[in-house]
Amino acid sequence: MVIEEPGYVTDRILLLGRRESCVYLLKGKNDYAILGGGMAYIVPDLISQLGRYEIDESRIKRIIILHSHFDHCGIVPFFKKRWPHVMVTASARAKELLATKKIIDNIEFLNQVLLMKHGIEDKVQELDLSFTGVDVEEVVKDGDILACDNLSIEIIEAPGHSSCSIAVYVKEEKAMFASDAGGIPFGDKVFTAANSNFDKYVESLNKMARYETDIHLAEHYGARTGEDGRAFIQKSIISAKETRQILEESIARTGDVKKSAKEITDLLTKNAPTGFIPKEVIALVTEQMLRYVSGQRSGVS
């Protein structure tokens, strides 16, 4: 089953935000955790949803940022101010990046662009949705197991989409919170998002595939349960293999990263489902993957 709209995925996992920018509330017996950092423009939605589902916000004890890209950490400054008691958790690399001025300025710019695009400029001042950086208070690494009351949160280092990516596995729910490290749902397929390092991206997929997973939770376009959840990572592995072949064949033919990027982006956007990632973002990701593959072909690591 595909669940793209806010609501309960299971009794202990609540999807919040919007279909294109999802975060999840994990409900232990008494303590809760937020997984994913979303985009700033979904903050008004989240406030409304927390009220609608009668969530006791004092029970939320941790926000886990699964990677530091602008569309996965935008809500954190607001909710850290709203919930001072909350622990902000991420990888060591994410902590480093989220304290870097260039990164902070870029995230702030992109979030403000989207706030205006979605017509909620009035909320910027009212709610103070500016992005001034994130103080990661708890650094986690591969194999760490955190507690969410009676639920376990296992950290899986999953680089490849970004250098700072982690995934979270909750064994009690057989649930994998993979963010973009697991690929991005693309209709009934998976978009390969190996922005940083294609080989590490595939290694991370194979690592996640070793877990018994019934529920796959993405930060774009929702959750998959049942057979859709069990099959998602394998579909992502197949997509990565097919994408690598397309990239290599194109760059071998054109010898030009820019030409190949345009060619492949046009192909992907032609078949993209309605409301998928903007063409400009697909072009950027495609070019990053091509540069990596081109470097591998020429022997550059």
Side-chain angles (χ1 to χ4, degrees):
M1 175 184 269
V2 176
I3 302 170
E4 292 189 334
E5 299 302 322
Y8 279 97
V9 178
T10 72
D11 290 344
R12 299 189 287 194
I13 300 173
L14 177 61
L15 189 164
L16 300 169
R18 300 190 183 189
R19 67 183 292 269
E20 74 277 9
S21 181
C22 309
V23 299
Y24 298 92
L25 180 74
L26 181 65
K27 299 178 70 174
K29 185 176 181 180
N30 294 298
D31 295 342
Y32 304 161
I34 296 284
L35 278 65
M39 290 185 251
Y41 74 83
I42 70 169
V43 165
D45 299 275
L46 293 173
I47 294 170
S48 174
Q49 291 159 4
L50 290 168
R52 184 189 318 155
Y53 292 105
E54 299 181 336
I55 300 303
D56 180 352
E57 297 180 35
S58 69
R59 293 189 178 192
I60 300 172
K61 301 299 174 63
R62 179 181 274 114
I63 300 175
I64 302 180
I65 300 170
L66 299 182
H67 69 286
S68 64
H69 287 171
F70 87 95
D71 50 338
H72 296 271
C73 59
I75 72 168
V76 178
F78 172 83
F79 282 107
K80 178 60 180 177
K81 285 179 285 189
R82 186 178 176 96
W83 309 320
H85 63 280
V86 161
M87 180 81 71
V88 178
T89 302
S91 68
R93 177 63 173 155
K95 177 180 175 70
E96 176 188 344
L97 291 169
L98 290 169
T100 302
K101 186 178 187 305
K102 182 178 178 181
I103 301 294
I104 293 168
D105 290 347
N106 185 54
I107 293 172
E108 165 67 355
F109 171 75
L110 292 169
N111 270 306
Q112 293 302 321
V113 167
L114 286 168
L115 284 163
M116 288 186 285
K117 179 181 177 181
H118 287 272
I120 56 172
E121 303 96 316
D122 58 320
K123 298 290 185 182
V124 174
Q125 295 300 322
E126 177 188 336
L127 299 175
D128 186 10
L129 298 179
S130 60
F131 189 91
T132 56
V134 172
D135 179 17
V136 174
E137 302 154 298
E138 180 181 49
V139 170
V140 289
K141 63 184 185 305
D142 196 60
D144 285 349
I145 298 180
L146 311 175
C148 182
D149 206 338
N150 58 324
L151 300 177
S152 61
I153 296 174
E154 180 176 349
I155 304 299
I156 304 167
E157 290 182 2
H161 172 68
S162 71
S163 60
C164 62
S165 289
I166 58 173
V168 159
Y169 181 71
V170 178
K171 69 178 181 180
E172 293 83 2
E173 294 285 323
K174 295 182 181 178
M176 182 67 72
F177 297 81
S179 193
D180 296 354
I184 300 172
F186 188 74
D188 62 351
K189 299 182 180 179
V190 181
F191 177 74
T192 296
N195 306 34
S196 174
N197 183 307
F198 208 111
D199 292 328
K200 287 184 178 180
Y201 177 82
V202 173
E203 289 173 11
S204 294
L205 290 176
N206 287 324
K207 190 181 198 177
M208 286 185 276
R210 293 195 286 269
Y211 288 78
E212 184 179 0
T213 300
D214 286 343
I215 306 169
H216 184 94
L217 301 114
E219 287 186 62
H220 299 296
Y221 312 111
R224 271 71 184 151
T225 64
E227 189 53 38
D228 291 308
R230 287 186 286 274
F232 191 88
I233 289 293
Q234 288 301 328
K235 287 173 68 173
S236 194
I237 290 170
I238 292 168
S239 174
K241 183 177 180 180
E242 293 173 346
T243 300
R244 182 75 180 243
Q245 184 175 348
I246 291 168
L247 295 170
E248 290 183 344
E249 288 177 353
S250 180
I251 199 68
R253 184 177 64 257
T254 69
D256 186 291
V257 167
K258 293 287 187 182
K259 286 183 180 178
S260 285
K262 183 179 186 309
E263 174 182 281
I264 295 168
T265 299
D266 288 344
L267 174 66
L268 291 172
T269 53
K270 180 180 178 181
N271 298 315
T274 302
F276 192 65
I277 298 167
K279 186 173 183 177
E280 296 80 5
V281 177
I282 294 177
L284 177 62
V285 173
T286 300
E287 185 170 331
Q288 289 172 329
M289 291 192 293
L290 279 162
R291 291 195 182 282
Y292 180 83
V293 169
S294 179
Q296 292 294 295
R297 283 172 53 82
S298 62
V300 178
S301 58

